[in-house]
Amino acid sequence: MTGHAHHEHHGSDLKREAQATLEGAGEQWTDMRALIFDVLATFRKPASAYDIAEKVSERRGKRVAPNSVYRILDLFVETNLAQRVESANAYVANSHPGCVHDCIFMICDSCGEVTHVDNDKLADGVRDTATARGFTPERPVIEVHGKCAACD
């Protein structure tokens, strides 16, 4: 499998990297953005805006509307802090936000586990195919549904 090397961030290191990436994109790292990123990073599986809003509301002690969470998640996807699993309408924190690339998701239809894989050769092939057809690709989405090794 072709890919590239990058450092996987976790915990406070991930939060610092996310903040640096967002600020490097000219955006502010507000308390609400930090809280939503913290909550997103705690999920082991892709989380919907409703899942995130519920957890953020619990932490804040007052209700946070999912549409507010959606706006921030859109910003996170745009700035590479999060990735959207299109078929699930859910999000995962990007463990290497400073590394921009197209992602491939392998989604287990039994347990919901999502594995993120980098394969630049495959992603570049999708972009090249689109370009050859006169289409300007912006964000290829590659998702493979099936069963993970644990559920097979």
Side-chain angles (χ1 to χ4, degrees):
M1 176 162 345
T2 304
H4 57 271
H6 51 259
H7 177 72
E8 298 285 330
H9 298 279
H10 303 281
S12 60
D13 184 40
L14 175 58
K15 186 175 179 178
R16 279 191 301 276
E17 183 71 14
Q19 180 176 356
T21 300
L22 190 66
E23 290 174 344
E27 297 288 344
Q28 293 182 354
W29 184 256
T30 65
D31 290 341
M32 180 59 83
R33 290 175 180 176
L35 181 56
I36 288 174
F37 187 81
D38 284 346
V39 167
L40 176 61
T42 65
F43 283 92
R44 294 181 42 88
K45 296 180 183 176
S48 71
Y50 291 90
D51 296 332
I52 296 164
E54 182 180 320
K55 295 286 186 192
V56 169
S57 296
E58 288 172 10
R59 286 194 186 182
R60 291 187 73 211
K62 64 181 182 177
R63 184 180 178 280
V64 174
N67 63 342
S68 298
V69 174
Y70 269 119
R71 282 193 296 277
I72 292 172
L73 290 171
D74 287 344
L75 174 65
F76 287 175
V77 169
E78 181 182 311
T79 55
N80 204 42
L81 302 187
Q83 297 154 336
R84 185 169 188 259
V85 180
E86 300 286 338
S87 63
N89 191 24
Y91 301 82
V92 293
N94 185 355
S95 62
H96 42 87
C99 180
V100 178
H101 55 84
D102 299 320
C103 299
I104 301 165
F105 292 111
M106 294 182 289
I107 304 161
C108 180
D109 292 325
S110 293
C111 70
E113 190 71 31
V114 173
T115 303
H116 164 219
V117 177
D118 298 328
N119 185 318
D120 292 333
K121 184 176 179 181
L122 178 61
D124 288 346
V126 170
R127 284 180 173 277
D128 292 346
T129 299
T131 301
R133 301 258 181 191
F135 188 82
T136 304
E138 292 182 13
R139 188 175 60 89
V141 176
I142 304 170
E143 296 182 5
V144 180
H145 283 264
K147 287 189 178 180
C148 68
C151 293
D152 202 16

PDB file of all heavy atoms in Angstrom, residues 90-102:
ATOM      1  N   ALA A  90     -21.378  11.325   9.678  1.00  0.00           N
ATOM      2  CA  ALA A  90     -20.712  11.375  10.981  1.00  0.00           C
ATOM      3  C   ALA A  90     -19.266  11.835  10.783  1.00  0.00           C
ATOM      4  O   ALA A  90     -18.766  11.888   9.665  1.00  0.00           O
ATOM      5  CB  ALA A  90     -20.762  10.006  11.642  1.00  0.00           C
ATOM      6  N   TYR A  91     -18.623  12.127  11.890  1.00  0.00           N
ATOM      7  CA  TYR A  91     -17.302  12.743  11.855  1.00  0.00           C
ATOM      8  C   TYR A  91     -16.326  12.006  12.756  1.00  0.00           C
ATOM      9  O   TYR A  91     -16.716  11.424  13.764  1.00  0.00           O
ATOM     10  CB  TYR A  91     -17.399  14.206  12.322  1.00  0.00           C
ATOM     11  CG  TYR A  91     -18.331  15.021  11.470  1.00  0.00           C
ATOM     12  CD1 TYR A  91     -19.713  14.986  11.680  1.00  0.00           C
ATOM     13  CD2 TYR A  91     -17.840  15.809  10.435  1.00  0.00           C
ATOM     14  CE1 TYR A  91     -20.566  15.729  10.880  1.00  0.00           C
ATOM     15  CE2 TYR A  91     -18.700  16.549   9.635  1.00  0.00           C
ATOM     16  CZ  TYR A  91     -20.061  16.504   9.860  1.00  0.00           C
ATOM     17  OH  TYR A  91     -20.915  17.219   9.077  1.00  0.00           O
ATOM     18  N   VAL A  92     -15.047  12.088  12.376  1.00  0.00           N
ATOM     19  CA  VAL A  92     -13.961  11.570  13.209  1.00  0.00           C
ATOM     20  C   VAL A  92     -12.902  12.663  13.302  1.00  0.00           C
ATOM     21  O   VAL A  92     -12.690  13.422  12.344  1.00  0.00           O
ATOM     22  CB  VAL A  92     -13.345  10.269  12.648  1.00  0.00           C
ATOM     23  CG1 VAL A  92     -14.325   9.120  12.704  1.00  0.00           C
ATOM     24  CG2 VAL A  92     -12.830  10.454  11.241  1.00  0.00           C
ATOM     25  N   ALA A  93     -12.252  12.738  14.449  1.00  0.00           N
ATOM     26  CA  ALA A  93     -11.151  13.678  14.602  1.00  0.00           C
ATOM     27  C   ALA A  93      -9.978  13.174  13.774  1.00  0.00           C
ATOM     28  O   ALA A  93      -9.701  11.975  13.740  1.00  0.00           O
ATOM     29  CB  ALA A  93     -10.757  13.797  16.074  1.00  0.00           C
ATOM     30  N   ASN A  94      -9.313  14.081  13.100  1.00  0.00           N
ATOM     31  CA  ASN A  94      -8.131  13.725  12.316  1.00  0.00           C
ATOM     32  C   ASN A  94      -6.936  13.682  13.270  1.00  0.00           C
ATOM     33  O   ASN A  94      -6.598  14.694  13.873  1.00  0.00           O
ATOM     34  CB  ASN A  94      -7.911  14.747  11.208  1.00  0.00           C
ATOM     35  CG  ASN A  94      -6.784  14.384  10.281  1.00  0.00           C
ATOM     36  OD1 ASN A  94      -6.083  13.402  10.492  1.00  0.00           O
ATOM     37  ND2 ASN A  94      -6.596  15.172   9.242  1.00  0.00           N
ATOM     38  N   SER A  95      -6.306  12.545  13.377  1.00  0.00           N
ATOM     39  CA  SER A  95      -5.198  12.392  14.330  1.00  0.00           C
ATOM     40  C   SER A  95      -3.888  12.989  13.814  1.00  0.00           C
ATOM     41  O   SER A  95      -2.887  12.984  14.511  1.00  0.00           O
ATOM     42  CB  SER A  95      -4.999  10.918  14.679  1.00  0.00           C
ATOM     43  OG  SER A  95      -4.664  10.180  13.524  1.00  0.00           O
ATOM     44  N   HIS A  96      -3.909  13.509  12.609  1.00  0.00           N
ATOM     45  CA  HIS A  96      -2.738  14.199  12.065  1.00  0.00           C
ATOM     46  C   HIS A  96      -3.202  15.398  11.229  1.00  0.00           C
ATOM     47  O   HIS A  96      -3.078  15.410  10.007  1.00  0.00           O
ATOM     48  CB  HIS A  96      -1.851  13.251  11.256  1.00  0.00           C
ATOM     49  CG  HIS A  96      -2.605  12.318  10.365  1.00  0.00           C
ATOM     50  ND1 HIS A  96      -2.988  12.641   9.090  1.00  0.00           N
ATOM     51  CD2 HIS A  96      -3.067  11.073  10.589  1.00  0.00           C
ATOM     52  CE1 HIS A  96      -3.641  11.633   8.564  1.00  0.00           C
ATOM     53  NE2 HIS A  96      -3.714  10.677   9.447  1.00  0.00           N
ATOM     54  N   PRO A  97      -3.756  16.428  11.910  1.00  0.00           N
ATOM     55  CA  PRO A  97      -4.378  17.543  11.203  1.00  0.00           C
ATOM     56  C   PRO A  97      -3.429  18.366  10.335  1.00  0.00           C
ATOM     57  O   PRO A  97      -3.875  19.022   9.403  1.00  0.00           O
ATOM     58  CB  PRO A  97      -4.992  18.394  12.312  1.00  0.00           C
ATOM     59  CG  PRO A  97      -4.348  17.962  13.563  1.00  0.00           C
ATOM     60  CD  PRO A  97      -3.884  16.563  13.356  1.00  0.00           C
ATOM     61  N   GLY A  98      -2.157  18.319  10.590  1.00  0.00           N
ATOM     62  CA  GLY A  98      -1.201  19.070   9.780  1.00  0.00           C
ATOM     63  C   GLY A  98      -0.871  18.391   8.466  1.00  0.00           C
ATOM     64  O   GLY A  98      -0.182  18.962   7.625  1.00  0.00           O
ATOM     65  N   CYS A  99      -1.366  17.196   8.246  1.00  0.00           N
ATOM     66  CA  CYS A  99      -1.056  16.410   7.056  1.00  0.00           C
ATOM     67  C   CYS A  99      -2.302  16.366   6.165  1.00  0.00           C
ATOM     68  O   CYS A  99      -3.296  15.752   6.523  1.00  0.00           O
ATOM     69  CB  CYS A  99      -0.641  14.999   7.474  1.00  0.00           C
ATOM     70  SG  CYS A  99      -0.223  13.936   6.099  1.00  0.00           S
ATOM     71  N   VAL A 100      -2.245  17.021   5.027  1.00  0.00           N
ATOM     72  CA  VAL A 100      -3.394  17.094   4.130  1.00  0.00           C
ATOM     73  C   VAL A 100      -3.298  15.991   3.085  1.00  0.00           C
ATOM     74  O   VAL A 100      -2.290  15.850   2.407  1.00  0.00           O
ATOM     75  CB  VAL A 100      -3.468  18.467   3.443  1.00  0.00           C
ATOM     76  CG1 VAL A 100      -4.640  18.533   2.480  1.00  0.00           C
ATOM     77  CG2 VAL A 100      -3.567  19.573   4.484  1.00  0.00           C
ATOM     78  N   HIS A 101      -4.356  15.200   2.994  1.00  0.00           N
ATOM     79  CA  HIS A 101      -4.428  14.123   2.003  1.00  0.00           C
ATOM     80  C   HIS A 101      -5.862  13.642   1.899  1.00  0.00           C
ATOM     81  O   HIS A 101      -6.707  13.989   2.726  1.00  0.00           O
ATOM     82  CB  HIS A 101      -3.515  12.955   2.393  1.00  0.00           C
ATOM     83  CG  HIS A 101      -3.791  12.434   3.760  1.00  0.00           C
ATOM     84  ND1 HIS A 101      -4.779  11.526   4.017  1.00  0.00           N
ATOM     85  CD2 HIS A 101      -3.239  12.759   4.958  1.00  0.00           C
ATOM     86  CE1 HIS A 101      -4.806  11.285   5.323  1.00  0.00           C
ATOM     87  NE2 HIS A 101      -3.907  12.019   5.912  1.00  0.00           N
ATOM     88  N   ASP A 102      -6.130  12.878   0.870  1.00  0.00           N
ATOM     89  CA  ASP A 102      -7.448  12.265   0.718  1.00  0.00           C
ATOM     90  C   ASP A 102      -7.454  10.989   1.542  1.00  0.00           C
ATOM     91  O   ASP A 102      -6.465  10.281   1.610  1.00  0.00           O
ATOM     92  CB  ASP A 102      -7.714  11.933  -0.751  1.00  0.00           C
ATOM     93  CG  ASP A 102      -7.706  13.177  -1.619  1.00  0.00           C
ATOM     94  OD1 ASP A 102      -8.242  14.201  -1.172  1.00  0.00           O
ATOM     95  OD2 ASP A 102      -7.172  13.117  -2.731  1.00  0.00           O
TER      96      ASP A 102
END
